[in-house]
Amino acid sequence: MEFLQITSHDDYRVEQIFNSYSTTFPEDERREWSQFIKLFDHPNVKIISVLNDTENVGYLILWELKNYVFVEHFEVFAEFRNQKLGSHITDYLFKNYPRIILEIEPEHLNEDAKRRFSFYQRNGFNLIDETYVQPSYGEGKKSLPLWLLTNYSPENLKEVKDEIYDIVYH
């Protein structure tokens, strides 16, 4: 597997990533196109294309914050799911980032959410906050109750959440 940072919204993979992102994530859990392309100019953001045998199979949207990396979005494209690629991607994350935080839908929401939570638990993540609220991505979008997961124990959860709110959702 290869993990290649995409540095421009003009990259040929961006359209495929955005199209999948737009259909996979509910409207309230994602950015509009104009917001999405601004990510490429943000110094804390890395958008990484995941390749398997030279084929683009998914992506990561990472925020390098003060003491950890925040995984805003992580997706294996639908046609490549159930091939253990997600576990290879989490292995990459663990090897490259000792402190990782991500948000997911609560497991009681539906079967997909339950399956996702189980996946992250199997791959070394622990639930640290069931009261987290993802801020709205903008006008007409709702804030959402989500769960925060990590692969470590943050010393100050309030500080972590404030940094996510101030930088990722600002």
Side-chain angles (χ1 to χ4, degrees):
M1 275 192 133
E2 284 185 82
F3 297 86
L4 301 175
Q5 183 176 352
I6 300 173
T7 57
S8 168
H9 68 272
D10 293 329
D11 187 290
Y12 72 95
R13 292 169 286 216
V14 172
E15 185 177 347
Q16 179 189 18
I17 289 170
F18 188 78
N19 288 341
S20 186
Y21 166 87
S22 297
T23 55
T24 299
F25 293 96
E27 188 170 341
D28 290 329
E29 289 184 39
R30 60 181 159 83
R31 299 170 189 274
E32 297 301 324
W33 173 251
S34 61
Q35 297 169 308
F36 186 82
I37 61 172
K38 286 180 184 173
L39 293 175
F40 292 94
D41 297 326
H42 199 291
N44 295 76
V45 176
K46 282 189 175 178
I47 299 176
I48 298 174
S49 173
V50 179
L51 290 97
N52 190 36
D53 296 329
T54 70
E55 190 161 25
N56 194 23
V57 297
Y59 62 90
L60 292 161
I61 300 175
L62 308 176
W63 289 79
E64 293 179 338
L65 300 176
K66 188 173 163 185
N67 295 313
Y68 58 92
V69 68
F70 176 72
V71 179
E72 184 180 10
H73 289 94
F74 167 0
E75 181 183 5
V76 172
F77 297 137
E79 62 270 30
F80 300 105
R81 291 185 189 144
N82 301 313
Q83 299 177 30
K84 306 273 187 228
L85 298 175
S87 294
H88 290 297
I89 294 169
T90 57
D91 288 347
Y92 162 82
L93 286 169
F94 276 59
K95 285 177 187 159
N96 290 278
Y97 302 98
R99 296 172 174 220
I100 304 164
I101 296 178
L102 53 86
E103 46 185 35
I104 65 167
E105 294 171 322
E107 74 171 330
H108 60 267
L109 215 60
N110 57 46
E111 280 303 310
D112 284 341
K114 188 175 188 169
R115 195 179 77 257
R116 249 181 248 111
F117 181 55
S118 177
F119 164 80
Y120 283 115
Q121 285 182 306
R122 280 192 319 273
N123 283 280
F125 288 91
N126 299 301
L127 176 64
I128 60 160
D129 190 356
E130 293 181 44
T131 64
Y132 174 81
V133 175
Q134 175 197 290
S136 166
Y137 272 110
E139 194 174 318
K141 297 197 180 203
K142 299 177 190 124
S143 56
L144 298 168
L146 297 177
W147 286 356
L148 277 184
L149 305 180
T150 68
N151 68 335
Y152 74 105
S153 296
E155 289 177 27
N156 186 334
L157 185 57
K158 182 188 179 319
E159 191 177 290
V160 165
K161 288 164 49 169
D162 286 347
E163 185 179 20
I164 292 169
Y165 293 155
D166 291 346
I167 297 175
V168 176
Y169 293 102
H170 184 66

